[in-house]
Amino acid sequence: VEFLESFSFSTEKRTTAPDQGPLVPESRIAELEDEEEDAEDEAKKKAAAEAPELERVLKDKLPFDEWTLVRGKTTKGTSGFLRRLLRRDTTPAVKPVGTVKGSIRVMEKEKMRLNEYPQSPDLVRMFMPRHLEVRVYIVRGITLTPKDIGGASDPYLIVRTGKDADQLKNDKDEDIVFKGTLNPEFYRSFQLRAEIPGTSFLQIDVYDYDAIGFDDLIGTTKIDLENRWFCPAWHEMVPKPREIRLLRSPTSTCYQGKLEMWLEIMSAEDARSIPMTPLGPPP
């Protein structure tokens, strides 16, 4: 479901306030603000060192946020007997049922009138359908979770932006599957079609190949294509930076390894005139 709506709300400042005790000196306020900024910088550096996904770098510049929609039951307002009975139910109290993507800004009314804030996104322009080409360059896997009895895996890649034939690339091939390793040197590049709006995510799955039975999912990483395409700061990154993507699994809260990769998004016209970057192991 796609919504094409924007809203504006106004709040007024109070002219009086109840007595809240002595005021903090301005010098101390400045010190506290500096300490808060230093702590925030350290937290960002630590997070980037642990998982330097590009979303962390562009967090304050991405045009959209996402909120998870949940549905479930609550024991509030029920009797003690019913609460005890419900606690025996192993069904999660709430579960995610979807997401909402949007943008929320809080601005001072006077500064907004003077156009001292960036303009709101042009939703009409954003929702004009366009055909884009997504180029994915995957260098290597890093410390993948073992899926075989011997403590290794036979990883291969599945890359998709949708369900059509030109939106899915499957590397399940005897010549491409990397046998017996947790640190595969993939050096694989893919070009897939994407439609915006509509194709919201690039999804990269790493599977463990099994000669008998079903292949095991090692982990998945997803990239929001709309957030990249409509982000001016991302377009200014030339060439596009390599990033380390964490692999996640729906059956575990722990990360299942990492991928080193980078991503390009361009119009179909540009894709016809700009060749893909050669990608291969060092000589």
Coordinates of all heavy atoms in Angstrom, one line a residue, residues 131 133 135 191 229 265-276:
H131 N 12.1 3.5 -14.2 CA 12.9 2.3 -14.4 C 14.4 2.5 -14.1 O 15.0 3.4 -14.7 CB 12.7 1.8 -15.8 CG 13.6 0.6 -16.1 ND1 13.8 0.1 -17.4 CD2 14.3 -0.3 -15.3 CE1 14.6 -0.9 -17.4 NE2 14.9 -1.2 -16.1
E133 N 18.3 0.8 -12.9 CA 19.2 -0.4 -13.0 C 20.1 -0.4 -11.7 O 20.6 0.6 -11.3 CB 20.1 -0.3 -14.2 CG 19.4 -0.4 -15.5 CD 18.7 -1.8 -15.7 OE1 19.3 -2.8 -15.2 OE2 17.7 -1.9 -16.3
R135 N 23.2 -2.1 -9.8 CA 24.4 -2.9 -9.9 C 25.0 -3.2 -8.6 O 25.2 -2.3 -7.8 CB 25.4 -2.1 -10.8 CG 25.0 -1.9 -12.2 CD 26.0 -1.0 -13.0 NE 25.6 -1.0 -14.4 CZ 26.3 -0.3 -15.3 NH1 27.3 0.4 -15.0 NH2 25.9 -0.3 -16.6
Q191 N 23.6 -7.1 -12.3 CA 22.8 -6.0 -12.7 C 21.4 -6.4 -12.8 O 21.0 -7.4 -13.5 CB 23.3 -5.4 -14.0 CG 22.5 -4.2 -14.4 CD 23.1 -3.4 -15.6 OE1 24.3 -3.2 -15.6 NE2 22.3 -2.9 -16.5
W229 N 18.2 6.2 -3.5 CA 18.0 6.9 -4.7 C 17.6 8.4 -4.4 O 18.0 9.3 -5.1 CB 16.9 6.2 -5.5 CG 16.7 6.9 -6.8 CD1 15.5 7.6 -7.2 CD2 17.5 7.0 -8.0 NE1 15.6 8.1 -8.4 CE2 16.8 7.8 -9.0 CE3 18.8 6.6 -8.3 CZ2 17.4 8.1 -10.2 CZ3 19.3 6.8 -9.5 CH2 18.7 7.6 -10.4
I265 N 23.2 2.6 -8.3 CA 21.8 2.7 -8.8 C 21.9 3.8 -9.9 O 22.4 4.9 -9.6 CB 20.8 3.1 -7.8 CG1 20.9 2.1 -6.6 CG2 19.4 3.0 -8.4 CD1 20.0 2.5 -5.4
M266 N 21.3 3.6 -11.1 CA 21.3 4.6 -12.1 C 20.1 4.4 -13.0 O 19.5 3.4 -13.0 CB 22.6 4.5 -12.9 CG 22.9 3.1 -13.6 SD 24.5 3.0 -14.4 CE 25.5 3.0 -12.9
S267 N 19.9 5.4 -13.9 CA 18.8 5.3 -14.8 C 19.1 4.3 -15.9 O 20.3 3.9 -16.1 CB 18.5 6.7 -15.4 OG 19.6 7.1 -16.2
A268 N 18.1 3.8 -16.6 CA 18.4 2.9 -17.7 C 19.2 3.5 -18.8 O 20.1 2.8 -19.4 CB 17.0 2.4 -18.2
E269 N 19.1 4.8 -19.0 CA 19.9 5.5 -20.0 C 21.3 5.5 -19.6 O 22.2 5.2 -20.5 CB 19.4 6.9 -20.2 CG 18.0 7.0 -20.8 CD 16.9 6.7 -19.8 OE1 17.2 6.7 -18.6 OE2 15.7 6.5 -20.3
D270 N 21.6 5.8 -18.4 CA 23.0 5.8 -17.9 C 23.6 4.4 -18.0 O 24.8 4.2 -18.3 CB 23.1 6.4 -16.5 CG 22.9 7.9 -16.5 OD1 23.0 8.5 -17.5 OD2 22.6 8.4 -15.4
A271 N 22.8 3.4 -17.6 CA 23.3 2.0 -17.6 C 23.8 1.6 -19.0 O 24.7 0.8 -19.1 CB 22.3 1.1 -17.0
R272 N 23.1 2.1 -20.0 CA 23.5 1.7 -21.4 C 24.8 2.3 -21.8 O 25.5 1.8 -22.7 CB 22.4 2.1 -22.4 CG 21.2 1.2 -22.3 CD 20.2 1.4 -23.5 NE 19.5 2.7 -23.3 CZ 18.3 2.8 -22.8 NH1 17.7 1.7 -22.3 NH2 17.7 4.0 -22.7
S273 N 25.2 3.4 -21.2 CA 26.4 4.1 -21.7 C 27.6 4.0 -20.7 O 28.7 4.2 -21.1 CB 26.1 5.6 -21.8 OG 25.7 6.2 -20.6
I274 N 27.3 3.5 -19.5 CA 28.4 3.4 -18.4 C 28.6 1.9 -18.2 O 27.7 1.2 -17.8 CB 28.0 4.1 -17.1 CG1 27.7 5.6 -17.4 CG2 29.1 3.9 -16.1 CD1 27.2 6.3 -16.1
P275 N 29.8 1.4 -18.5 CA 30.0 0.0 -18.3 C 30.1 -0.4 -16.8 O 30.5 0.5 -16.0 CB 31.4 -0.3 -19.0 CG 32.0 1.1 -19.0 CD 30.9 2.1 -19.1
M276 N 29.9 -1.6 -16.5 CA 30.1 -2.0 -15.1 C 31.5 -2.1 -14.7 O 32.4 -2.3 -15.6 CB 29.5 -3.4 -14.9 CG 27.9 -3.5 -15.0 SD 27.2 -5.1 -14.5 CE 27.6 -5.1 -12.7

